[in-house]
Amino acid sequence: MTTGWSIYVIVLVLLNIAGLWALLAWTARRRPGDPKPDDTSHVWDGDITEYNKPLPRWWIIGFYLTMVYAVGYLIWYPGLGNFKGISGWTSAGEHDADKVRQDAILAETFRPYDGQPISALAGDPRALELGRAIFANTCATCHGSSAQGAVGYPNLTDDIWHWGGSEERILESVLDGRQGVMPEWGTVLTGMGGENAVLSVATYTRSLAGEVPANDYFAAQGKGLYEGVCVACHGIDGTGNQDLGAPDLTDDYAMYGNSVESIMETINKGRHGVMPAHRDLLGETRSRLVASYVWSLSRAEGDQAQSADAQ
């Protein structure tokens, strides 16, 4: 706020308080010639008389005290333009102090789970309940409340993991995030194999998942192009590379859709998927709890118990 606006606000506030004080003092005082409180001559139906009785003195004093309190409040707290108040109070400071208190409560709640293995947490109903709550508050925006994802956001309830589904890999994804980059290959492939090159590679990738016969004309044309460009990330057999986040092309799941059109769009324009890091937001223990919940979604109860016993 500029100095000019600050002065304007201060003057306006003080004028309002002074005006209320003057109005109350003027209206509370009786003047010579005023009728008596019960002598207004305003009578209806013969026996209903309007009186003009002043407010009780204690009530008027209460109004004055309220205005005195308002002035004190504006001096103590920052309520007059840029004046910060003699108390030094700020909403940011209040927020920070409250955050410290709430963080202490959270730390006490989560302390029993510090450093616990993911599988052990997944076998603890209370820990799993906390992990589910953290997921709902933090992760469901992208992955959905059921964790089944959407176009561009992976399904966390199956056994398909682009970056690995082990306890350590999932925790690493939660703590430090992931960035999956699929370059734009449309121009390169077209230069190598002509106008049908992208269609051919898309068809070949569908054949790897058994959705198109291997002897399909376009799949056969695309095999050589795939082996010249795509094997660096997805491998010669199309099973992908979890260190790079390159998906397995031999399964029936495609995060951006497995139609020829969507695969061609991926090849032509590329993809850039980002999983934000949550280390600073959640901390180590809460990240472990939510990772345990995610880890549990794709495993049967018996598998979870066996993994927990092995720890």
Side-chain angles (χ1 to χ4, degrees):
M1 185 184 300
T2 64
T3 302
W5 278 110
S6 177
I7 295 173
Y8 171 78
V9 170
I10 294 172
V11 171
L12 186 64
V13 170
L14 295 180
L15 282 177
N16 272 275
I17 294 175
L20 290 172
W21 187 290
L23 179 63
L24 183 61
W26 183 74
T27 56
R29 187 168 57 250
R30 293 186 60 80
R31 294 166 181 77
D34 286 348
K36 295 179 181 179
D38 56 355
D39 188 21
T40 63
S41 301
H42 298 165
V43 180
W44 294 269
D45 297 333
D47 58 353
I48 300 177
T49 302
E50 179 187 20
Y51 289 166
N52 185 28
K53 292 185 176 181
L55 289 173
R57 178 59 55 183
W58 63 267
W59 199 325
I60 295 176
I61 293 173
F63 278 128
Y64 284 124
L65 290 177
T66 300
M67 286 181 272
V68 171
Y69 175 83
V71 173
Y73 183 94
L74 293 172
I75 294 173
W76 184 257
Y77 290 105
L80 293 172
N82 289 335
F83 177 63
K84 298 184 181 301
I86 63 176
S87 67
W89 181 93
T90 65
S91 58
E94 184 75 10
H95 167 271
D96 293 343
D98 187 59
K99 185 177 184 299
V100 169
R101 290 191 295 269
Q102 296 303 321
D103 285 347
I105 295 173
L106 285 176
E108 187 65 28
T109 301
F110 296 125
R111 184 168 290 113
Y113 310 108
D114 288 351
Q116 291 280 349
I118 301 299
S119 55
L121 293 173
D124 182 336
R126 173 58 178 161
L128 209 58
E129 180 182 349
L130 288 171
R132 182 185 296 109
I134 297 169
F135 181 92
N137 288 331
T138 310
C139 314
T141 303
C142 294
H143 295 284
S145 58
S146 62
Q148 293 181 343
V151 176
Y153 302 98
N155 182 354
L156 304 179
T157 64
D158 56 26
D159 58 356
I160 298 172
W161 299 91
H162 292 173
W163 295 92
S166 67
E167 299 175 38
E168 295 77 15
R169 283 284 198 166
I170 295 175
L171 179 59
E172 184 180 319
S173 294
V174 175
L175 285 172
D176 300 321
R178 302 290 187 184
Q179 289 210 41
V181 179
M182 163 71 180
E184 301 178 13
W185 289 110
T187 303
V188 174
L189 289 171
T190 300
M192 293 172 60
E195 62 181 358
N196 288 325
V198 174
L199 171 61
S200 298
V201 173
T203 306
Y204 176 69
T205 61
R206 296 189 77 227
S207 74
L208 292 173
E211 298 175 352
V212 172
N215 61 357
D216 180 271
Y217 172 79
F218 286 111
Q221 296 297 313
K223 184 175 185 298
L225 293 169
Y226 174 91
E227 292 175 350
V229 174
C230 311
V231 292
C233 295
H234 295 283
I236 189 68
D237 55 359
T239 53
N241 186 337
Q242 292 183 346
D243 289 330
L244 300 175
D248 184 345
L249 304 177
T250 66
D251 56 38
D252 60 356
Y253 175 74
M255 192 163 61
Y256 293 95
N258 57 6
S259 67
V260 172
E261 293 76 16
S262 61
I263 295 173
M264 289 180 65
E265 182 178 352
T266 297
I267 296 172
N268 277 315
K269 300 180 180 179
R271 303 288 186 183
H272 186 188
V274 178
M275 160 71 182
H278 287 77
R279 184 184 295 273
D280 293 338
L281 177 64
L282 296 178
E284 174 79 18
T285 301
R286 278 183 286 175
S287 294
R288 283 184 173 275
L289 287 166
V290 74
S292 71
Y293 171 68
V294 171
W295 184 82
S296 73
L297 292 174
S298 58
R299 287 165 174 78
E301 293 183 5
D303 295 338
Q304 295 177 32
Q306 185 176 3
S307 297
D309 293 341
Q311 300 297 323

